[in-house]
Amino acid sequence: MEITIVRQENRSFFEPLMPVEQWQFADLVLGAIEEGTACGVLAAQEAETFLEIHYLYVAEEYRRKGIATGLLEELHHIGRGSQMDGELCQYVDNEAMKGLDACLAGNRYERDEAESTVYVADFKDLSGKFFGQTELAGSGAGQGADEGKAAVLGAGVKAVPLSAVTARMWNQFLKKLESLPNEDGTVPDLNVKYLYDQAASFLLVKRGEPEGCILLEKQDADYILSYFCILSKAAPAEMMGLFRASYQVLKKYCDPEDKIYINALTETTQKMVLQMTDQKAKTVGQAAARYYIY
């Protein structure tokens, strides 16, 4: 087995093993070759002093041969040499991912205690009761997010698409978020804003101050609702306005059978997910994070 850093000159050899968008955002890609065949790939991003694993895949016929361990060992080697503090891997813990969970545990990763329920629903199951007829004031039918314009939710309140959020406002929001722990006592790590879909993710801005967000990631034809929060007291219409703003964008891009995964980090999100899907959302596992500190 050979582990190599994937560069422009050998990228085409490994491209079939990883979705296009993962290549776009990866800071480091490692590839595994066995008997002259590209059989595994690992993609990571630099997040401050950590390497965050965003994708780890080994072709089925090459599994249980130590290839994933080889990729992780090479990442450890590079991380130490780059004077990083450690690594992070986040994933949904369910039956399908037990192999990954065991692999990480066997390669010195420790599991974070904080967990959240992950739901999945077909896009068609999002409730028309909340989204079917009502357009956001000021957005117009099918306008607003694509043009980088904020949707008006009420006097002095706007849902601003992430594409129009300045670095200063994003950092101001993160600073507020860090001072207010979640319902389970943990503070989420949202990383840099370019990881989230710039059109379908929104910041709630009240009188010029960021007070909430809805953040979605795109994977192939599916979307992941990674985080939803309101930092201050908000009217139900303002909370629902964030979901509606995203929905108006997603309905242009999603087919009825496309999946929407929801990471229910808080009890509030969990209740709204079940309400918005008319109880059709299904639990697919728990969001888990494993850390390896050098």
Side-chain angles (χ1 to χ4, degrees):
M1 177 179 61
E2 177 189 353
I3 304 296
T4 182
I5 295 178
V6 179
R7 307 183 191 279
Q8 195 61 41
E9 56 267 26
N10 64 350
R11 173 172 159 170
S12 60
F13 195 47
F14 296 94
E15 278 183 339
L17 300 176
M18 188 163 70
V20 173
E21 62 270 14
Q22 296 290 347
W23 290 100
Q24 183 179 357
F25 295 120
D27 295 317
L28 171 67
V29 179
L30 300 176
I33 300 172
E34 179 77 2
E35 300 175 347
T37 301
C39 58
V41 67
L42 183 154
Q45 291 178 324
E46 293 185 19
E48 297 181 351
T49 60
F50 259 69
L51 288 168
E52 183 167 354
I53 299 170
H54 278 257
Y55 190 83
L56 177 57
Y57 175 79
V58 176
E60 189 170 357
E61 60 269 31
Y62 291 93
R63 292 173 188 172
R64 291 174 290 280
K65 295 183 178 182
I67 290 172
T69 293
L71 289 166
L72 292 170
E73 287 289 351
E74 182 62 20
L75 186 66
H76 297 345
H77 176 73
I78 291 173
R80 291 191 196 96
S82 302
Q83 297 184 325
M84 304 297 278
D85 291 337
E87 300 160 15
L88 167 69
C89 185
Q90 301 183 75
Y91 56 99
V92 177
D93 184 20
N94 54 23
E95 285 297 323
M97 301 299 284
K98 286 203 177 296
L100 173 63
D101 191 70
C103 179
L104 292 170
N107 282 280
R108 302 187 287 278
Y109 288 82
E110 293 188 4
R111 185 162 177 149
D112 187 5
E113 293 182 1
E115 293 184 347
S116 56
T117 304
V118 178
Y119 292 92
V120 63
D122 289 337
F123 187 71
K124 65 181 178 183
D125 289 337
L126 291 177
S127 175
K129 176 172 57 179
F130 294 106
F131 303 125
Q133 304 298 325
T134 308
E135 293 285 347
L136 286 169
S139 69
Q143 297 179 3
D146 284 347
E147 300 172 4
K149 296 179 181 178
V152 180
L153 304 181
V157 185
K158 297 183 292 185
V160 181
L162 220 56
S163 58
V165 172
T166 63
R168 180 177 177 275
M169 180 167 285
W170 176 255
N171 291 332
Q172 185 180 354
F173 173 65
L174 293 185
K175 187 175 180 180
K176 284 188 174 186
L177 191 64
E178 288 170 0
S179 66
L180 296 171
N182 279 336
E183 294 169 5
D184 60 2
T186 64
V187 177
D189 179 13
L190 299 186
N191 297 310
V192 292
K193 70 186 182 81
Y194 73 73
L195 297 178
Y196 306 103
D197 188 281
Q198 298 288 294
S201 300
F202 287 82
L203 219 59
L204 179 71
V205 178
K206 300 179 71 172
R207 293 174 289 279
E209 294 286 326
E211 297 292 354
C213 72
I214 183 167
L215 302 175
L216 288 98
E217 302 174 59
K218 190 177 189 309
Q219 289 194 349
D220 296 329
D222 303 327
Y223 283 83
I224 302 170
L225 200 170
S226 295
Y227 195 65
F228 166 77
C229 76
I230 299 291
L231 301 184
S232 62
K233 291 183 178 179
E238 294 170 355
M239 297 173 69
M240 187 56 67
L242 281 175
F243 282 95
R244 188 176 291 119
S246 288
Y247 178 79
Q248 299 300 337
V249 174
L250 294 182
K251 72 179 184 180
K252 304 171 195 174
Y253 303 119
C254 289
D255 292 326
E257 304 303 323
D258 288 344
K259 304 294 184 184
I260 305 294
Y261 293 88
I262 304 104
N263 190 1
L265 287 165
T266 67
E267 189 174 323
T268 300
T269 312
Q270 192 166 331
K271 289 178 179 177
M272 294 190 76
V273 164
L274 293 174
Q275 283 182 336
M276 289 187 304
T277 61
D278 289 333
Q279 311 298 315
K280 293 178 181 177
K282 298 178 181 177
T283 304
V284 294
Q286 299 291 315
R290 282 192 180 271
Y291 298 83
Y292 173 43
I293 308 296
Y294 299 140

